Amino acid sequence: MLKVYLAGPDVFLQNAVDIGNHKKTLCRDYGFDGLFPADKDEDVTADPAEIFSANCSLMHQADIGIFNLTPFRGPSADAGTVYELGFMFAQDKPVFGYSSALVPYADRVGQLAGPLQEQAGRLWDQTGFSVEDFGLADNLMIARAIAESGGSFIAIDETDGDAAATLAALQAFEACLKAAQQKMDTEIGAVQAEA
Amino acid sequence: MLKVYLAGPDVFLQNAVDIGNHKKTLCRDYGFDGLFPADKDEDVTADPAEIFSANCSLMHQADIGIFNLTPFRGPSADAGTVYELGFMFAQDKPVFGYSSALVPYADRVGQLAGPLQEQAGRLWDQTGFSVEDFGLADNLMIARAIAESGGSFIAIDETDGDAAATLAALQAFEACLKAAQQKMDTEIGAVQAEA
């Protein structure tokens, strides 16, 4: 059974353990063994070095990564999650992303620091910083890593519930699991056909 | 001469090319060859796949990474920069960080989504999400990666200028270059002593 690292800001939810268990159960339904970072995180006075080491170990064990890229405390995904995306991409593992935000990154920046202005062919926020305007879900490094790895990104609007449900993005997560299952089945089929 | 990848949200500044050139000049002063992502970014209609590929190529060439982790559009560092930190850490390269924000991450979250409340031994923001409270400069994955790689993180308060100067964080960058020079000189000395 392929191991999937379940990265995301879910670990910051009050019901992090429940959400983690629910996501791991969904993983089983799609033929994956889900590894959730909060597993190692029950000691709330935990040492950051130990959490870091435990998460790196889980990522090393994992065959693929599924990343909750729902915006967190700003227009972009959670910083720890994005760090882990770079880490797993560098290990040549397929990375998949999901989010409960349908609105593209540039529009989210507009909500935070707009109105945006076009000048010299680029978009600028009110602080005077340029805004990537490729219609992508987040910074291009994130979106392109997912695409280049053979993964996919799925957004489903789940912003009508409370903040915790919006952050957990369960519908998008399940759709992403389905996409990952299809992709990995295809890859395994191709390897078997070659053999 | 060791090659240094100069990651950061500097690429979103109006004077990105000037800042990039200035940082590359400072690199030479400390014995490094600086690789700045905006080098490849002059065509403003550039394709995200090309920018991604060019940045990955620069990171592969680089021996070490120096990351501008100044908060960007929220309490954490720029998402693209954090992605690249994970990417280079996974390649076992020393990673260094700098920032113009002295205030720890938890306090920055408090400014955005506070007042923070303590409950069950953890800190919580007003949205109901927990806040890492380790006194670190950002998410623990970022801070620990720098430490584990043998790098260092340097913050110098440069928030009294305009937003562009605060984001460029030139004083912290130069202090970080100095730290990187000392570290790499020590490593090279140790290798020579072994030989």
Side-chain angles (χ1 to χ4, degrees), chain A residues 52 55-57 59-60 67 82-93 95, chain B residues 59-60 62-65 67 81-96 141-142 144-146 148-150:
Chain A
F52 177 81
N55 287 352
C56 288
S57 167
M59 288 191 282
H60 275 294
F67 293 79
V82 172
Y83 167 88
E84 293 174 343
L85 184 76
F87 185 89
M88 290 193 74
F89 178 83
Q91 296 183 322
D92 289 326
K93 293 177 178 173
V95 288
Chain B
M59 287 191 283
H60 276 294
D63 302 291
I64 73 173
F67 293 79
T81 304
V82 172
Y83 168 87
E84 293 173 342
L85 184 75
F87 185 88
M88 290 192 74
F89 178 82
Q91 295 182 323
D92 289 324
K93 292 176 178 173
V95 288
F96 295 77
M141 299 304 289
I142 296 172
R144 288 307 309 165
I146 291 169
E148 299 273 340
S149 81

Coordinates of all heavy atoms in Angstrom, one line a residue, chain A residues 52 55-57 59-60 67 82-93 95, chain B residues 59-60 62-65 67 81-96 141-142 144-146 148-150:
Chain A
F52 N 10.3 18.5 13.9 CA 11.0 18.6 12.6 C 11.5 17.3 12.1 O 11.2 16.8 11.0 CB 12.1 19.6 12.7 CG 12.9 19.8 11.4 CD1 12.4 20.6 10.4 CD2 14.1 19.1 11.2 CE1 13.1 20.7 9.2 CE2 14.8 19.2 10.0 CZ 14.3 20.0 9.0
N55 N 8.7 14.8 11.3 CA 8.0 15.1 10.0 C 8.9 14.7 8.8 O 8.5 14.2 7.8 CB 7.6 16.6 9.9 CG 6.4 16.9 10.8 OD1 5.8 16.0 11.4 ND2 6.1 18.2 11.0
C56 N 10.2 15.0 9.0 CA 11.2 14.7 7.9 C 11.2 13.2 7.7 O 11.2 12.7 6.6 CB 12.6 15.2 8.2 SG 12.7 17.0 8.0
S57 N 11.1 12.4 8.8 CA 11.2 11.0 8.7 C 9.9 10.5 8.0 O 10.0 9.6 7.2 CB 11.3 10.4 10.2 OG 11.0 9.1 10.2
M59 N 8.1 12.1 5.8 CA 8.3 12.4 4.4 C 9.2 11.5 3.7 O 9.0 11.1 2.5 CB 8.7 13.9 4.2 CG 7.6 14.9 4.6 SD 8.0 16.6 4.1 CE 9.1 17.1 5.4
H60 N 10.3 11.1 4.4 CA 11.2 10.1 3.7 C 10.5 8.8 3.5 O 10.7 8.1 2.5 CB 12.4 9.9 4.6 CG 13.5 10.9 4.4 ND1 14.2 11.0 3.2 CD2 14.0 11.9 5.2 CE1 15.1 12.0 3.3 NE2 14.9 12.6 4.5
F67 N -1.0 17.8 -0.3 CA -0.8 19.0 0.5 C -2.0 19.9 0.6 O -2.6 20.2 -0.5 CB 0.4 19.8 -0.2 CG 1.7 19.1 -0.1 CD1 2.0 18.1 -1.0 CD2 2.6 19.5 0.8 CE1 3.2 17.4 -0.9 CE2 3.8 18.9 0.9 CZ 4.1 17.8 0.1
V82 N 4.3 24.5 2.7 CA 5.0 24.8 1.4 C 6.5 24.4 1.5 O 7.0 23.9 0.5 CB 4.9 26.4 1.2 CG1 5.8 26.8 0.0 CG2 3.4 26.7 0.9
Y83 N 7.1 24.5 2.7 CA 8.4 24.0 2.9 C 8.5 22.5 2.5 O 9.3 22.0 1.8 CB 8.9 24.2 4.3 CG 10.1 23.4 4.7 CD1 11.4 24.0 4.5 CD2 10.0 22.1 5.2 CE1 12.5 23.2 4.8 CE2 11.1 21.4 5.5 CZ 12.3 21.9 5.2 OH 13.5 21.2 5.5
E84 N 7.5 21.8 3.0 CA 7.4 20.3 2.8 C 7.2 20.0 1.4 O 7.7 18.9 0.9 CB 6.4 19.7 3.8 CG 6.8 19.8 5.2 CD 5.7 19.4 6.2 OE1 4.5 19.3 5.8 OE2 6.1 19.2 7.4
L85 N 6.4 20.8 0.7 CA 6.2 20.6 -0.8 C 7.6 20.7 -1.5 O 7.8 19.8 -2.4 CB 5.3 21.7 -1.3 CG 4.8 21.5 -2.8 CD1 3.8 20.4 -3.0 CD2 4.2 22.8 -3.3
G86 N 8.4 21.7 -1.2 CA 9.7 21.8 -1.8 C 10.6 20.6 -1.5 O 11.3 20.0 -2.4
F87 N 10.5 20.2 -0.2 CA 11.3 19.0 0.2 C 10.9 17.7 -0.5 O 11.8 17.0 -1.0 CB 11.0 18.9 1.7 CG 11.8 17.8 2.4 CD1 13.1 18.1 3.0 CD2 11.4 16.5 2.6 CE1 13.8 17.2 3.7 CE2 12.1 15.6 3.3 CZ 13.3 15.9 3.8
M88 N 9.6 17.5 -0.7 CA 9.2 16.2 -1.3 C 9.4 16.3 -2.8 O 9.7 15.3 -3.5 CB 7.8 15.8 -0.9 CG 7.7 15.4 0.5 SD 6.1 14.6 0.9 CE 6.3 13.0 0.1
F89 N 9.2 17.5 -3.4 CA 9.5 17.6 -4.9 C 10.9 17.3 -5.2 O 11.3 16.7 -6.2 CB 9.1 19.0 -5.4 CG 9.4 19.2 -6.8 CD1 8.4 18.8 -7.8 CD2 10.5 19.8 -7.3 CE1 8.7 18.9 -9.1 CE2 10.8 20.0 -8.6 CZ 9.9 19.5 -9.5
A90 N 11.8 17.8 -4.3 CA 13.3 17.6 -4.5 C 13.6 16.1 -4.4 O 14.7 15.7 -5.0 CB 14.1 18.4 -3.5
Q91 N 12.8 15.4 -3.8 CA 13.0 13.9 -3.7 C 12.4 13.2 -4.8 O 12.2 11.9 -4.8 CB 12.5 13.4 -2.3 CG 13.2 14.0 -1.1 CD 12.7 13.4 0.2 OE1 11.5 13.1 0.3 NE2 13.6 13.1 1.1
D92 N 11.9 13.9 -5.8 CA 11.3 13.3 -7.0 C 10.0 12.5 -6.7 O 9.7 11.5 -7.4 CB 12.3 12.4 -7.8 CG 13.4 13.2 -8.5 OD1 13.1 14.3 -8.9 OD2 14.5 12.7 -8.5
K93 N 9.3 12.9 -5.7 CA 8.0 12.2 -5.4 C 6.9 13.0 -6.0 O 6.9 14.3 -6.0 CB 7.9 12.1 -3.9 CG 9.0 11.1 -3.3 CD 8.9 11.0 -1.8 CE 10.0 10.0 -1.4 NZ 10.2 10.0 0.1
V95 N 3.7 15.1 -6.1 CA 3.0 16.0 -5.1 C 1.7 16.5 -5.6 O 1.6 16.9 -6.8 CB 3.9 17.1 -4.7 CG1 5.1 16.6 -3.8 CG2 4.5 17.9 -5.8
Chain B
M59 N 19.1 26.7 -8.5 CA 19.3 26.0 -7.2 C 20.1 24.8 -7.3 O 20.9 24.5 -6.4 CB 17.9 25.7 -6.6 CG 17.1 26.9 -6.1 SD 15.7 26.5 -5.1 CE 14.5 26.1 -6.4
H60 N 20.0 24.1 -8.5 CA 20.9 22.9 -8.7 C 22.3 23.3 -8.8 O 23.2 22.7 -8.2 CB 20.5 22.1 -9.9 CG 19.3 21.2 -9.7 ND1 19.5 20.1 -8.9 CD2 18.1 21.1 -10.1 CE1 18.4 19.4 -8.8 NE2 17.5 20.0 -9.5
A62 N 23.7 26.0 -7.4 CA 24.2 26.6 -6.2 C 24.7 25.7 -5.2 O 24.3 24.5 -5.0 CB 23.1 27.4 -5.5
D63 N 25.8 26.1 -4.4 CA 26.3 25.3 -3.3 C 25.6 25.6 -2.0 O 25.5 24.7 -1.2 CB 27.8 25.7 -3.2 CG 28.6 25.5 -4.4 OD1 28.8 24.3 -4.8 OD2 29.0 26.5 -5.1
I64 N 25.1 26.8 -1.8 CA 24.4 27.1 -0.6 C 23.2 28.0 -1.0 O 23.2 28.6 -2.1 CB 25.3 27.8 0.5 CG1 25.6 29.2 0.1 CG2 26.5 27.0 0.7 CD1 26.4 29.9 1.2
G65 N 22.3 28.2 -0.1 CA 21.2 29.1 -0.3 C 21.1 30.2 0.8 O 21.3 29.8 2.0
F67 N 18.3 32.9 2.1 CA 16.9 33.1 2.0 C 16.4 34.4 2.7 O 16.6 34.5 3.9 CB 16.1 31.9 2.5 CG 16.4 30.7 1.7 CD1 17.6 29.9 1.8 CD2 15.5 30.3 0.7 CE1 17.8 28.8 1.1 CE2 15.7 29.1 -0.1 CZ 16.9 28.4 0.1
T81 N 9.7 31.5 -1.7 CA 11.0 31.4 -1.0 C 11.0 30.2 -0.1 O 12.0 29.5 0.0 CB 11.2 32.7 -0.2 OG1 11.1 33.8 -1.1 CG2 12.5 32.7 0.5
V82 N 9.9 29.9 0.7 CA 9.9 28.8 1.6 C 9.9 27.5 0.8 O 10.5 26.5 1.3 CB 8.6 28.9 2.5 CG1 8.4 27.7 3.3 CG2 8.7 30.2 3.4
Y83 N 9.2 27.4 -0.3 CA 9.3 26.3 -1.2 C 10.8 26.0 -1.5 O 11.2 24.8 -1.4 CB 8.5 26.5 -2.5 CG 8.8 25.5 -3.5 CD1 8.1 24.3 -3.5 CD2 9.8 25.7 -4.4 CE1 8.4 23.3 -4.5 CE2 10.1 24.7 -5.3 CZ 9.4 23.5 -5.4 OH 9.7 22.5 -6.3
E84 N 11.5 27.0 -1.9 CA 12.9 26.8 -2.3 C 13.8 26.4 -1.1 O 14.7 25.7 -1.3 CB 13.4 28.1 -3.0 CG 12.6 28.4 -4.3 CD 13.0 29.7 -5.0 OE1 13.5 30.6 -4.3 OE2 12.7 29.8 -6.2
L85 N 13.4 26.9 0.1 CA 14.2 26.4 1.2 C 14.1 24.9 1.4 O 15.1 24.2 1.7 CB 13.6 27.2 2.5 CG 14.4 26.9 3.8 CD1 15.7 27.7 3.8 CD2 13.5 27.4 5.0
G86 N 12.8 24.4 1.3 CA 12.6 23.0 1.4 C 13.4 22.2 0.3 O 14.0 21.2 0.6
F87 N 13.3 22.8 -0.9 CA 14.0 22.1 -2.0 C 15.5 22.0 -1.8 O 16.1 21.0 -2.0 CB 13.7 23.0 -3.3 CG 14.2 22.5 -4.6 CD1 13.4 21.6 -5.3 CD2 15.4 22.9 -5.1 CE1 13.9 21.1 -6.5 CE2 15.9 22.4 -6.3 CZ 15.1 21.5 -7.0
M88 N 16.1 23.1 -1.3 CA 17.6 23.1 -1.2 C 18.0 22.3 0.1 O 19.0 21.7 0.1 CB 18.1 24.5 -1.1 CG 18.1 25.2 -2.5 SD 19.0 26.7 -2.7 CE 20.7 26.1 -2.7
F89 N 17.2 22.3 1.1 CA 17.5 21.5 2.3 C 17.5 20.0 1.9 O 18.3 19.3 2.4 CB 16.5 21.8 3.4 CG 16.8 20.9 4.7 CD1 17.7 21.3 5.6 CD2 16.1 19.8 4.9 CE1 18.0 20.5 6.7 CE2 16.3 19.0 6.0 CZ 17.3 19.3 6.9
A90 N 16.5 19.6 1.1 CA 16.4 18.2 0.7 C 17.6 17.8 -0.1 O 17.9 16.6 -0.2 CB 15.1 18.0 -0.1
Q91 N 18.3 18.8 -0.7 CA 19.5 18.5 -1.5 C 20.8 18.5 -0.6 O 21.9 18.5 -1.1 CB 19.7 19.5 -2.6 CG 18.6 19.4 -3.7 CD 18.8 20.4 -4.8 OE1 19.2 21.5 -4.6 NE2 18.5 19.9 -6.0
D92 N 20.6 18.6 0.7 CA 21.7 18.6 1.7 C 22.6 19.8 1.5 O 23.8 19.7 1.8 CB 22.5 17.3 1.6 CG 21.7 16.1 2.1 OD1 21.0 16.3 3.1 OD2 21.9 15.0 1.6
K93 N 22.1 20.9 1.1 CA 22.9 22.1 1.0 C 22.7 23.0 2.2 O 21.6 23.1 2.7 CB 22.5 22.9 -0.3 CG 22.9 22.1 -1.5 CD 22.5 22.7 -2.8 CE 23.0 21.8 -4.0 NZ 22.5 22.3 -5.3
P94 N 23.7 23.7 2.7 CA 23.5 24.6 3.8 C 22.6 25.8 3.4 O 22.7 26.3 2.3 CB 25.0 25.2 4.1 CG 25.9 24.2 3.4 CD 25.1 23.6 2.2
V95 N 21.6 26.0 4.3 CA 20.7 27.1 4.0 C 20.7 28.2 5.2 O 20.8 27.8 6.3 CB 19.2 26.6 3.8 CG1 19.1 25.9 2.5 CG2 18.8 25.7 5.0
F96 N 20.8 29.4 4.8 CA 20.9 30.5 5.7 C 19.6 31.4 5.5 O 19.1 31.5 4.4 CB 22.1 31.4 5.4 CG 23.4 30.6 5.7 CD1 23.9 29.7 4.8 CD2 24.1 30.8 6.9 CE1 25.1 29.0 5.0 CE2 25.3 30.1 7.1 CZ 25.8 29.2 6.2
M141 N 9.4 24.4 10.8 CA 10.1 23.6 9.7 C 11.1 24.5 9.1 O 12.2 24.1 8.7 CB 9.1 23.2 8.6 CG 8.0 22.2 9.1 SD 8.6 20.7 10.0 CE 9.3 19.8 8.6
I142 N 10.8 25.8 9.0 CA 11.8 26.8 8.4 C 13.0 27.0 9.3 O 14.1 26.8 8.9 CB 11.1 28.1 8.1 CG1 10.0 28.0 7.1 CG2 12.1 29.2 7.8 CD1 9.1 29.2 6.9
R144 N 14.0 25.2 11.9 CA 14.8 24.0 12.1 C 15.7 23.6 10.9 O 16.8 23.0 11.1 CB 13.9 22.8 12.6 CG 13.3 23.0 14.0 CD 14.4 23.2 15.1 NE 15.5 22.3 15.0 CZ 16.6 22.5 15.7 NH1 16.9 23.6 16.4 NH2 17.6 21.6 15.6
A145 N 15.1 23.7 9.7 CA 15.9 23.4 8.5 C 17.2 24.2 8.5 O 18.3 23.6 8.2 CB 15.1 23.6 7.3
I146 N 17.1 25.4 8.8 CA 18.3 26.3 8.8 C 19.3 25.8 9.8 O 20.5 25.6 9.5 CB 17.9 27.8 9.0 CG1 17.1 28.3 7.8 CG2 19.1 28.6 9.3 CD1 16.4 29.7 8.1
E148 N 19.5 22.8 11.3 CA 20.0 21.4 11.0 C 21.0 21.4 9.8 O 21.8 20.5 9.7 CB 18.8 20.5 10.6 CG 17.7 20.3 11.7 CD 18.1 19.2 12.7 OE1 18.9 18.3 12.3 OE2 17.5 19.2 13.8
S149 N 20.8 22.3 8.9 CA 21.7 22.3 7.7 C 23.1 22.9 8.1 O 24.0 22.9 7.3 CB 21.1 23.2 6.6 OG 21.3 24.5 6.8
G150 N 23.2 23.4 9.3 CA 24.4 24.1 9.7 C 24.4 25.6 9.4 O 25.4 26.3 9.6

